[in-house]
Amino acid sequence: MSEWLPMVFVGLMGLSMLLYVVLDGYDLGVGILLRQADDAEKDVMIASIGPFWDANETWLVLGVGLLLVAFPAAHGVILGALYLPVVFMLVGLIVRGVAFDFRVKVHAEHKPFWNTAFHAGSLLAALSQGFMLGLYITGLEYNVVGVVFAIVIALCLVAGYTLLGAGWLIMKTEGDLRQRAIGWARRSLWFTGIGIVAVSLATPLVSPRIFEKWFALPNLFFLMPIPLLTGLLFMGCLRALVKLGKGDSRREWMPFVTTIGMFLLAFAGLAYSIFPYLVIDRMTLWDAAAAPESLKIMLFGAAITLPAILAYSAYSYRVFWGKTSELNY
């Protein structure tokens, strides 16, 4: 059982981070898009994420918490190398959290400032997360190649979050705002595709071991569905956006769902590439794991916490599903 416990916690941690990227990704995307909308549209956009955004960040807390308690050695290496971008991410999340509440309670002349703060906090958090991902893929090395790659991935992750946010707005809004969201999604789709391709190409080049896992036979044939399905989802998203732009109101959910599918496949490819390492080619999950006795105790806590968060999230999405109504307090 001691051999499987670290794998169980890696799975829980991976699930938490994936849910965070998808769920908080779309509300960060809405925040990034806020600057391009007029005042009335800003209120609708904020209302569309109002019941969900705070709970979405719970998955980040859970994922990082699991890394800390289950893999303390890897936590020290990873967060030690990513200290500055983590600080910037937290500043961004704090700023957008404060701005979310203040923008609806201040005098009218101060509201534009807090709208800008919400946009800036969302953008800073997204850029920081993309920068961390890029550095992690390149082995946590602050060299020229690693930093440039991390910057490219940061910009592409912003595009991915923007695509998720635009897809969310297509489902949740109507009229002119919905049409503008379709245009935002079409523009960000191409940059999201570039980011997925960049991560896919760079990850095997980081390590000969990862290159062998992907391109040795018969692995190459078994893994071929991942890029093929990603390409199909990309084309499906583009086709749905074209139809929606021409006035077809059916399948409004397609851009959002296909984007989630692309993120899911990219995450699966990255997880396959680095397994069983938590720090690429430096530290396996078994090397970094806490004592089996500690993991057993923490598993009981995770068995309570994870279903509770899932149940609350599912209930809140069920209650507040449908088109967004006017924001009011």
Side-chain angles (χ1 to χ4, degrees):
M1 186 174 179
S2 60
E3 292 293 319
W4 283 95
L5 275 173
M7 293 187 64
V8 170
F9 275 93
V10 161
L12 294 175
M13 186 174 66
L15 176 64
S16 299
M17 298 311 294
L18 177 61
L19 287 171
Y20 171 77
V21 167
V22 171
L23 297 179
D24 205 38
Y26 79 73
D27 69 56
L28 284 170
V30 171
I32 293 168
L33 290 168
L34 198 69
R35 193 176 181 86
Q36 303 182 48
D38 61 35
D39 288 340
E41 291 173 338
K42 286 182 173 69
D43 286 341
V44 175
M45 292 166 71
I46 293 294
S48 74
I49 63 173
F52 315 112
W53 75 277
D54 206 9
N56 291 341
E57 293 180 357
T58 306
W59 295 107
L60 177 63
V61 177
L62 180 61
V64 175
L66 288 172
L67 177 64
L68 171 62
V69 299
F71 306 101
H75 178 273
V77 172
I78 294 171
L79 292 196
L82 300 177
Y83 182 82
L84 282 178
V86 167
V87 169
F88 282 117
M89 179 188 72
L90 293 177
V91 169
L93 293 176
I94 291 169
V95 167
R96 75 190 296 265
V98 173
F100 184 91
D101 287 326
F102 274 49
R103 66 176 298 279
V104 294
K105 298 174 183 176
V106 297
H107 295 296
E109 62 269 22
H110 300 304
K111 188 175 179 180
F113 170 80
W114 291 109
N115 285 334
T116 301
F118 189 81
H119 162 78
S122 302
L123 182 60
L124 180 59
L127 285 170
S128 301
Q129 291 171 19
F131 189 84
M132 287 189 284
L133 175 61
L135 280 181
Y136 179 75
I137 291 172
T138 54
L140 302 174
E141 297 290 338
Y142 281 87
N143 51 41
V144 174
V145 174
V147 170
V148 170
F149 179 76
I151 292 172
V152 172
I153 296 304
L155 295 173
C156 291
L157 186 64
V158 168
Y161 282 172
T162 303
L163 179 59
L164 279 170
W168 176 259
L169 292 173
I170 291 170
M171 293 191 302
K172 297 290 288 183
T173 62
E174 299 174 299
D176 291 340
L177 179 55
R178 177 179 172 274
Q179 287 301 119
R180 296 185 71 179
I182 293 169
W184 295 334
R186 291 182 66 174
R187 288 193 294 271
S188 57
L189 175 61
W190 293 100
F191 291 102
T192 303
I194 291 171
I196 292 173
V197 171
V199 170
S200 301
L201 292 177
T203 306
L205 297 178
V206 170
S207 162
R209 179 190 59 83
I210 296 176
F211 187 91
E212 184 73 14
K213 287 183 72 173
W214 274 93
F215 296 105
L217 297 176
N219 293 7
L220 180 63
F221 298 112
F222 293 147
L223 296 169
M224 193 60 68
I226 293 179
L228 291 177
L229 286 173
T230 302
L232 289 174
L233 287 170
F234 181 93
M235 296 307 299
C237 184
L238 181 61
R239 185 168 180 266
L241 289 171
V242 170
K243 285 189 173 182
L244 289 168
K246 293 180 178 179
D248 187 350
S249 61
R250 297 172 298 174
R251 298 182 180 178
E252 291 180 322
W253 49 267
M254 275 288 289
F256 188 68
V257 171
T258 52
T259 303
I260 291 175
M262 286 187 282
F263 271 84
L264 179 61
L265 289 170
F267 185 88
L270 180 61
Y272 171 79
S273 297
I274 65 176
F275 183 84
Y277 289 88
L278 287 178
V279 181
I280 295 177
D281 288 346
R282 289 166 57 185
M283 188 180 296
T284 69
L285 60 98
W286 293 284
D287 295 332
E293 295 77 11
S294 300
L295 293 179
K296 290 177 184 177
I297 295 172
M298 290 182 287
L299 188 59
F300 285 105
I304 297 172
T305 304
L306 189 62
I309 300 174
L310 284 170
Y312 169 78
S313 298
Y315 179 74
S316 62
Y317 279 93
R318 179 178 179 274
V319 169
F320 295 103
W321 197 248
K323 295 293 184 180
T324 300
S325 57
E326 182 182 356
L327 178 66
N328 58 76
Y329 285 80

